[in-house]
């Protein structure tokens, strides 16, 4: 069964600084990886995904993520954080080799960007 | 176009009562998921439907929980004899058939059991 770990409950960063939100995964087949963001009192919004190809994927709102197969990681990054990026971020994984299956989410990381 | 719609947005019920939550997926999306999010916690998978295939019910926490889906349209999640620990936000999501497709989430139903 697949699983996702987000080791940090919260990440604090000053506006304008780079940010990283960590994610590691476990899956038996090829990983299909996703990042979602949840703003207060709103549903989850898709940010980006890695399926195959270039290890650096770019997504919405200037976010990007780097897939590292040897470290089984898929960290979310942004070169310059904005206060409006403050939200709850979820990493998710699906096993790409065993048919259409559920998408398993991590426990989430709260990002707080201070002015 | 219209996104995933969930109703009601909020539901307060007394312990022991049954509740029914509704999800209208994006038109054409064959896959539909239900997740539960307790306060301050991550997303807990409950069930997913894929076309006419048998649903994956592996995440349902007890036999008090059930869900149905009519074809590739509306789904209802029913919780019988609600308990206080059922209080949470219930999120519905839909997607295309492809494994590469991201999920599109509704805004959720906030359930409070008193």
């Amino acid at each position: 069964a697949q699983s996702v770990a987000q080791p940090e409950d919260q990440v604090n960063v000053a506006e304008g600084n780079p940010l990283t939100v960590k994610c590691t995964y476990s899956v038996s087949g090829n990983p299909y990886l996703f990042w979602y963001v949840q703003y207060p009192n709103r549903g989850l919004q898709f940010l980006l995904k890695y399926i195959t190809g270039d290890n650096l994927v770019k997504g919405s709102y200037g976010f990007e993520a780097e897939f590292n197969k040897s470290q089984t990681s898929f960290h979310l990054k942004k070169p310059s954080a904005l206060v409006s990026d403050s939200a709850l971020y979820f990493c998710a994984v699906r096993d790409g080799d065993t048919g259409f299956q559920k998408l398993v989410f991590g426990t989430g990381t709260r990002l707080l960007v201070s002015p | 176009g219209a996104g995933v719609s969930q109703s009601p947005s909020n539901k307060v019920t007394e312990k022991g009562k049954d509740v029914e939550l509704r999800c209208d997926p994006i038109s054409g999306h064959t896959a539909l998921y239900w997740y539960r999010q307790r306060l301050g916690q991550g997303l807990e998978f409950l069930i997913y439907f894929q076309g006419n295939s048998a649903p994956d019910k592996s995440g349902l926490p007890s036999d008090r929980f059930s869900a149905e889906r009519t074809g590739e349209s509306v789904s209802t999640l029913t919780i019988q004899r609600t308990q206080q620990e059922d209080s949470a936000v219930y999120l519905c999501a839909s997607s295309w058939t492809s494994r590469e497709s991201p999920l599109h989430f509704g805004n959720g139903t906030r359930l409070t059991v008193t």
Side-chain angles (χ1 to χ4, degrees):
Chain A
Q2 61 264 47
S3 65
V4 173
Q6 294 183 243
E8 302 154 315
D9 290 336
Q10 182 163 312
V11 170
N12 298 303
V13 64
E15 188 173 35
N17 284 357
L19 70 86
T20 298
V21 182
K22 296 179 180 178
C23 170
T24 59
Y25 65 89
S26 173
V27 66
S28 56
N30 281 315
Y32 287 10
L33 295 154
F34 302 79
W35 275 102
Y36 287 81
V37 59
Q38 186 176 37
Y39 297 103
N41 300 315
R42 295 180 64 179
L44 276 78
Q45 298 178 29
F46 168 70
L47 274 180
L48 51 79
K49 65 179 180 181
Y50 171 83
I51 303 300
T52 187
D54 194 349
N55 289 342
L56 185 65
V57 293
K58 295 186 183 296
S60 306
Y61 312 121
F63 283 93
E64 56 191 28
E66 186 169 11
F67 171 66
N68 188 315
K69 187 173 183 178
S70 63
Q71 296 185 3
T72 61
S73 66
F74 189 56
H75 301 331
L76 182 70
K77 301 182 180 184
K78 187 174 183 181
S80 179
L82 299 173
V83 172
S84 58
D85 292 331
S86 298
L88 190 56
Y89 290 81
F90 290 95
C91 182
V93 69
R94 173 184 283 148
D95 190 325
D97 289 347
T98 57
F100 191 78
Q101 291 193 345
K102 63 192 179 190
L103 189 61
V104 174
F105 285 80
T107 53
T109 298
R110 187 166 302 280
L111 174 66
L112 184 60
V113 182
S114 55
Chain B
V4 177
S5 177
Q6 292 188 245
S7 60
S9 55
N10 282 283
K11 176 72 175 178
V12 180
T13 190
E14 293 179 352
K15 178 182 174 180
K17 300 283 189 182
D18 297 352
V19 295
E20 189 173 278
L21 313 180
R22 177 186 170 104
C23 173
D24 279 280
I26 292 172
S27 179
H29 280 188
T30 56
L32 187 146
Y33 296 72
W34 284 98
Y35 288 86
R36 178 169 70 178
Q37 186 177 25
R38 289 195 168 112
L39 187 63
Q41 298 188 21
L43 274 71
E44 177 186 2
F45 168 79
L46 297 178
I47 186 170
Y48 97 80
F49 298 88
Q50 172 58 46
N52 294 320
S53 301
D56 178 349
K57 303 180 180 180
S58 61
L60 293 178
S62 76
D63 59 7
R64 296 187 296 105
F65 288 73
S66 63
E68 294 183 349
R69 187 181 186 192
T70 307
E72 295 182 353
S73 60
V74 172
S75 175
T76 55
L77 176 69
T78 302
I79 308 174
Q80 296 178 311
R81 305 181 303 281
T82 52
Q83 303 295 314
Q84 288 188 330
E85 63 263 25
D86 298 335
S87 296
V89 175
Y90 290 82
L91 292 167
C92 176
S94 69
S95 76
W96 300 107
T97 301
S98 168
R99 295 191 298 256
E100 301 179 12
S101 298
L103 272 59
H104 298 262
F105 282 84
N107 287 333
T109 294
R110 182 176 299 277
L111 176 65
T112 303
V113 182
T114 61

